[in-house]
Amino acid sequence: MAFPKNFLWGGDISAAQIEGAWDEDGKSPTEADYLLGADKNSMRVACYRMPDGTEGKVPVMSGMLPKGAKYILKDGVFYPNHKATDFYHHYKEDIALLGEMGFRALNLSISWARIYPYGVEKGVNQKGVEFYRDVLKECRKYGIEPVVTLYKYDMSAFYIEDWGGWSNRKLIDEYVEFARVCLTEYKGLATIWNTFNEINVPLMLCKMVHKTTADLQRGYEEIHNQLVASAKVVQLAHQIDPDNKVGCMCAGCFAYPYTCDPNDFLKLQQEAQAGFYLFSDVFVRGYYPSYAKSIFDKEGVVMNVSEEDKADLAAGKVDYMAFSYYNSSCITTHEADATVKGSIKNPYLDASEWGWQIDPVGFKRALHELYDRYQLPLLVIENGLGAQDTLEADGTIHDPYRVDYMKRHIAAMKEAVEEGVDLMGYTMWSCIDLVSAGSGELRKRYGFVYVDAHDDGTGTFKRYRKDSFWWYKKVIESNGEDLG
């Protein structure tokens, strides 16, 4: 068999996108709780109000409210994350379904806002601690290994409003204390930890939305603070339990040169460095790479990395490299070839109904590239297909497009393992239907488990098994050998 016997077959969920219960049992609001729904052609926004009463909007995951602004909720508006697909009240049923599929791993995030709703000074919310303890115990009951993500864009909103979010160095210590509670309380229940989910995404969004040098300066400083916080938590996790394995995750940004023009190849290298490797090189190798200075200089950014920070980064190197992979793109210096949004369609690839091009060969390439670069075990966190599924009158959901997508990607993954890549697991996105982070849609479904919930807030929230449920069960039972 290509895959080792202990290979972690599973899936992912996200607290902010699946739990709901946004204001129950002591939890404070997060930025996601203020996000309006959007659609596949627009970006989600949150509304805010200034002290003088003027109002504005800020894009999803930007974390850059104007000074003095407070998030607000609008009357008569549906907020998709408030109930999401209600995992908070259905977690036993949901985990039982994953157990029925034979899941060996579940990547889940712990909401910082449930553990420390209003910061360390105001204390731990014990109801939040016990909720996640129950979730982890339920996973263990079915032989499912929890892969715990500590940060997935769901810190308390007051940290952004009152502290300035990750631009404030004090947030490093707050995050470390949050992690200390999780690592201590759940010692023995979880031994695989992920410090940050897609740590490179906030800076990508910053570059898309904020164009001034001051905004970029803040964006880079925020990511630096997260990298330092990650390194500190890696050290802490090893101290608390030597059996802990800790990683950090980057969003996959893999592309091809659109032409054979050498300038396209050079631009591709520069984009890969600035959008992906600048982050993973730091949390894997423990220091900023040689090309970092040229990136900072180009952006007009001045980075002040203290000797203490350097020591922490060096001491807090991860045990494995985690990344997401959905699609690939093309890079060119020939502006006439680019579309309106700056992206370029690859003529050799099909695309999902949301326009994401499907590229399993690129997945194999990414696995080889990352393993060759780092020589650390890899963990695939997030790989899947968003699509509109139809609940039939008899309760069935036929999703051959999802089976086809996963079959092709797992086959490519199998080839990479046979060719020498050390891959510890594959947790696809997302095993249960939930709210799309980028658009707030519920109709953009990823899971093996269909949840009867809709974009207008209606639905029974009853769970149904899709055809892909039974297919993935067979894949796990055969340890990836039976993809038919």
Side-chain angles (χ1 to χ4, degrees):
M1 289 189 176
F3 298 102
K5 291 182 179 180
N6 60 348
F7 190 78
L8 297 174
W9 293 103
D12 310 303
I13 58 175
S14 160
Q17 295 169 256
I18 197 170
E19 283 180 6
W22 75 286
D23 60 352
E24 292 185 37
D25 292 335
K27 178 184 171 292
S28 64
T30 69
E31 180 192 43
D33 295 321
Y34 294 97
L35 289 171
L36 302 170
D39 57 47
K40 63 184 178 183
N41 297 314
S42 63
M43 184 178 290
R44 298 178 76 187
V45 296
C47 299
Y48 65 82
R49 182 178 293 125
M50 299 297 293
D52 64 2
T54 59
E55 295 183 2
K57 297 177 180 179
V58 64
V60 58
M61 288 189 290
S62 73
M64 291 190 179
L65 279 178
K67 189 174 182 180
K70 300 288 185 182
Y71 289 113
I72 56 172
L73 296 174
K74 295 283 191 176
D75 292 336
V77 174
F78 174 60
Y79 288 89
N81 296 77
H82 282 192
K83 191 168 183 179
T85 47
D86 203 24
F87 177 81
Y88 194 80
H89 298 107
H90 289 262
Y91 73 90
K92 289 187 177 181
E93 174 188 359
D94 288 343
I95 294 172
L97 285 166
L98 303 182
E100 182 183 344
M101 258 192 291
F103 264 42
R104 299 179 189 176
L106 175 63
N107 174 259
L108 57 94
S109 62
I110 291 180
S111 176
W112 189 348
R114 285 200 193 278
I115 305 299
Y116 274 119
Y118 297 100
V120 173
E121 183 179 353
K122 294 193 176 179
V124 170
N125 174 32
Q126 198 58 36
K127 287 185 178 179
V129 172
E130 295 309 318
F131 169 70
Y132 290 110
R133 192 191 315 280
D134 289 343
V135 168
L136 296 177
K137 284 183 175 179
E138 205 68 16
C139 287
R140 290 294 184 186
K141 174 180 171 182
Y142 293 96
I144 298 172
E145 181 79 33
V147 179
V148 180
T149 295
L150 289 168
Y151 183 71
K152 193 164 186 176
Y153 323 123
D154 60 354
M155 63 184 171
S156 295
F158 92 92
Y159 277 134
I160 301 172
E161 296 170 326
D162 299 346
W163 290 41
W166 280 103
S167 64
N168 191 331
R169 291 275 302 190
K170 292 195 300 182
L171 204 60
I172 296 175
D173 291 337
E174 293 281 307
Y175 172 75
V176 171
E177 287 308 307
F178 156 64
R180 187 188 305 277
V181 171
C182 296
L183 290 162
T184 303
E185 292 285 348
Y186 309 133
K187 182 178 180 179
L189 286 173
T191 57
I192 304 175
W193 301 83
N194 186 49
T195 56
F196 285 83
N197 181 83
E198 295 188 330
I199 195 169
N200 50 338
V201 164
L203 187 58
M204 288 183 202
L205 294 173
C206 174
K207 289 181 178 181
M208 290 171 58
V209 176
H210 306 286
K211 304 299 184 182
T212 69
T213 300
D215 287 333
L216 292 175
Q217 177 73 37
R218 176 174 171 175
Y220 277 98
E221 288 175 352
E222 289 190 350
I223 294 299
H224 172 71
N225 290 341
Q226 291 184 13
L227 288 167
V228 172
S230 174
K232 284 177 173 284
V233 168
V234 171
Q235 296 173 67
L236 179 64
H238 291 159
Q239 292 166 8
I240 290 175
D241 187 348
D243 290 335
N244 281 333
K245 300 296 181 186
V246 191
C248 190
M249 178 193 171
C250 270
C253 301
F254 301 98
Y256 304 99
Y258 189 60
T259 76
C260 54
D261 182 343
N263 288 309
D264 280 7
F265 279 81
L266 183 60
K267 184 174 182 180
L268 173 63
Q269 182 186 54
Q270 292 168 341
E271 293 282 341
Q273 289 173 340
F276 190 97
Y277 289 120
L278 177 65
F279 312 90
S280 56
D281 280 356
V282 175
F283 64 69
V284 172
R285 295 172 172 171
Y287 57 86
Y288 278 95
S290 57
Y291 57 81
K293 185 179 185 301
S294 65
I295 294 174
F296 301 147
D297 289 346
K298 181 179 178 181
E299 303 282 12
V301 169
V302 178
M303 294 295 289
N304 295 311
V305 182
S306 70
E307 292 303 314
E308 182 181 351
D309 287 350
K310 291 178 182 178
D312 278 322
L313 293 174
K317 292 182 286 187
V318 296
D319 301 307
Y320 63 87
M321 167 72 200
F323 72 105
S324 62
Y325 183 92
Y326 291 97
N327 58 354
S328 62
S329 62
C330 292
I331 299 291
T332 187
T333 56
H334 302 260
E335 292 185 8
D337 292 328
T339 63
V340 175
K341 293 184 178 181
S343 61
I344 307 160
K345 184 177 180 180
N346 189 326
Y348 296 97
L349 299 176
D350 297 325
S352 74
E353 60 186 298
W354 266 263
W356 294 24
Q357 293 204 281
I358 300 169
D359 184 14
V361 174
F363 185 34
K364 177 180 173 180
R365 171 203 160 202
L367 288 162
H368 272 294
E369 189 170 300
L370 291 175
Y371 187 62
D372 288 346
R373 188 181 188 100
Y374 295 127
Q375 293 293 297
L376 275 183
L378 303 181
L379 176 60
V380 178
I381 293 180
E382 296 191 29
N383 168 249
L385 177 71
Q388 296 188 69
D389 299 327
T390 301
L391 177 63
E392 305 291 348
D394 62 358
T396 58
I397 301 98
H398 307 302
D399 56 344
Y401 37 83
R402 182 168 295 107
V403 171
D404 179 69
Y405 177 97
M406 294 192 63
K407 181 186 298 185
R408 292 165 64 190
H409 282 77
I410 292 174
M413 186 171 71
K414 181 180 178 182
E415 290 176 5
V417 172
E418 289 172 338
E419 292 164 4
V421 171
D422 184 358
L423 184 63
M424 58 190 282
Y426 172 81
T427 59
M428 57 76 63
W429 182 264
S430 161
C431 44
I432 305 168
D433 287 349
L434 36 64
V435 176
S436 169
S439 67
E441 294 167 297
L442 285 159
R443 67 192 177 102
K444 185 182 184 182
R445 299 176 183 274
Y446 284 90
F448 300 125
V449 176
Y450 181 99
V451 180
D452 182 32
H454 309 287
D455 287 338
D456 61 359
T458 62
T460 64
F461 290 84
K462 185 176 178 181
R463 273 62 171 157
Y464 298 86
R465 300 166 182 82
K466 303 179 188 180
D467 286 354
S468 56
F469 178 103
W470 305 109
W471 177 81
Y472 197 51
K473 176 180 173 68
K474 181 176 62 175
V475 172
I476 297 173
E477 286 175 346
S478 67
N479 201 28
E481 293 297 310
D482 186 354
L483 301 180

